[in-house]
Amino acid sequence: MRAWVLLSAVLWYLTGAGGRRSSERTSKGFIYGKPGHPVKLYVKLHHHSPVLVCMDFRRAKKETVDPTYIWIGPNEKPLTGNNQINITKTGKLMVKDFLEALSGLYTCTLSYKTVRAETQEETIVKQRYDFMIFVNPFAPGWKGACNDSADCEDITNHNILQARDRIEEFFRSQAYIYYHDFNKTIPAMHFVDHSFQVVRMDSCRPGFGKNEGLHSNCASCCVACSPGTFSPDVDVTCQNCVSVRIYGAKSCT
């Protein structure tokens, strides 16, 4: 998350837009699995996850006989449909209102039959698909500053620099008014042109951090700290703590 410091105020801008596009994403927003390769996704806080398909794109184009699907969640227990986890009969999964604690490994096992034409012998084939999902926070009100046709970072930086110029003009005007319009009993205000500055700094909200090695395809994302790490403040690094067993921890407990 990039930020500018303006006087004593810290204004956050969070980069990214949730799940990153990949070759396995369809025009409908479905995310297909990759045999032997975990698919990494970044979901916005309090938003729905993309639809995860318990199948790879190549298999989806073929006929699949008697398929069955078993989803396992981050707690290594079978997932069932509820108000927050939506699983369809065709093996598609979506997590609603995504939270820090829902981050982690989602695994689906697809089982289907193949029939040998010569002997009509049936064989059960199983294929496992892994999806690593992390929550990526967005500052309140970010939608109001951005739209689909503009770059959110450019808009945010422009607005902050405009605020800097207006604050600078305020001090310049006040100095002029105090010098010309008030009697000498009021202390003089002196302002040096171009002396007001803003400073770029990097930060993440508590419970989140950046890890370029772990999230190389989303290096600028602030994502929920993994189990075993925590972040109590707005630093960009999640600290180690072996007693933490949840994602997005703000303390070592």
Side-chain angles (χ1 to χ4, degrees), residues 4 27 35 54 63 76 105 142-143 169 177 199 215 218 252:
W4 293 89
S27 59
C54 186
E63 181 181 5
E76 299 184 355
L105 178 64
W142 69 273
K143 285 186 176 180
E169 179 59 31
I177 292 172
V199 179
H215 307 287
C218 194
C252 180

Side-chain angles (χ1 to χ4, degrees), residues 7-64:
L7 292 180
S8 61
V10 178
L11 303 178
W12 278 287
Y13 169 67
L14 293 149
T15 61
R20 304 285 174 170
R21 289 192 63 85
S22 72
S23 59
E24 304 301 312
R25 182 190 290 270
T26 70
S27 59
K28 294 183 179 180
F30 294 171
I31 303 294
Y32 285 84
K34 294 182 180 180
H37 299 279
V39 177
K40 287 186 178 181
L41 303 168
Y42 300 88
V43 180
K44 290 177 287 188
L45 188 64
H46 297 299
H47 284 67
H48 298 343
S49 75
V51 176
L52 310 183
V53 183
C54 186
M55 193 174 289
D56 58 86
F57 198 67
R58 181 176 298 180
R59 166 51 51 188
K61 293 182 177 180
K62 300 178 180 180
E63 181 181 5
T64 304

Side-chain angles (χ1 to χ4, degrees), residues 2-252:
R2 293 189 181 95
W4 293 89
V5 176
L6 197 57
L7 292 180
S8 61
V10 178
L11 303 178
W12 278 287
Y13 169 67
L14 293 149
T15 61
R20 304 285 174 170
R21 289 192 63 85
S22 72
S23 59
E24 304 301 312
R25 182 190 290 270
T26 70
S27 59
K28 294 183 179 180
F30 294 171
I31 303 294
Y32 285 84
K34 294 182 180 180
H37 299 279
V39 177
K40 287 186 178 181
L41 303 168
Y42 300 88
V43 180
K44 290 177 287 188
L45 188 64
H46 297 299
H47 284 67
H48 298 343
S49 75
V51 176
L52 310 183
V53 183
C54 186
M55 193 174 289
D56 58 86
F57 198 67
R58 181 176 298 180
R59 166 51 51 188
K61 293 182 177 180
K62 300 178 180 180
E63 181 181 5
T64 304
V65 180
D66 295 338
T68 60
Y69 315 91
I70 299 177
W71 280 98
I72 304 296
N75 58 2
E76 299 184 355
K77 295 182 180 180
L79 290 172
T80 57
N82 54 47
N83 292 335
Q84 199 161 18
I85 305 293
N86 182 24
I87 302 176
T88 70
K89 294 180 180 180
T90 56
K92 297 180 178 67
L93 178 144
M94 183 180 71
V95 185
K96 301 178 180 179
D97 190 25
F98 207 85
L99 302 174
E100 296 98 320
L102 294 172
S103 296
L105 178 64
Y106 289 75
T107 297
C108 183
T109 300
L110 165 66
S111 301
Y112 60 94
K113 294 180 181 178
T114 61
V115 182
R116 180 172 297 181
E118 299 83 2
T119 63
Q120 295 298 303
E121 179 184 358
E122 293 185 352
T123 302
I124 301 297
V125 178
K126 293 186 178 182
Q127 180 63 60
R128 169 175 167 164
Y129 302 98
D130 293 336
F131 301 86
M132 285 296 302
I133 309 182
F134 298 91
V135 59
N136 181 19
F138 271 62
W142 69 273
K143 285 186 176 180
C146 308
N147 56 58
D148 293 337
S149 62
D151 185 281
C152 193
E153 183 174 2
D154 285 347
I155 292 175
T156 304
N157 290 339
H158 172 76
N159 290 342
I160 293 176
L161 292 176
Q162 189 176 55
R164 178 202 61 186
D165 293 341
R166 290 182 178 180
I167 293 174
E168 185 176 279
E169 179 59 31
F170 167 80
F171 283 116
R172 185 182 296 109
S173 299
Q174 292 299 306
Y176 179 88
I177 292 172
Y178 274 95
Y179 182 80
H180 291 279
D181 297 341
F182 288 92
N183 58 51
K184 302 301 182 180
T185 60
I186 298 178
M189 177 183 288
H190 300 282
F191 178 75
V192 179
D193 284 345
H194 310 298
S195 62
F196 182 72
Q197 298 180 349
V198 294
V199 179
R200 181 186 291 273
M201 63 178 295
D202 216 9
S203 62
C204 294
R205 63 186 292 176
F208 293 80
K210 296 182 181 181
N211 188 322
E212 186 173 353
L214 194 62
H215 307 287
S216 57
N217 55 339
C218 194
S220 62
C221 292
C222 292
V223 299
C225 293
S226 300
T229 65
F230 74 105
S231 179
D233 47 33
V234 294
D235 200 357
V236 296
T237 304
C238 295
Q239 304 174 36
N240 291 326
C241 177
V242 294
S243 64
V244 174
R245 299 182 180 180
I246 62 172
Y247 284 86
K250 301 177 180 65
S251 62
C252 180

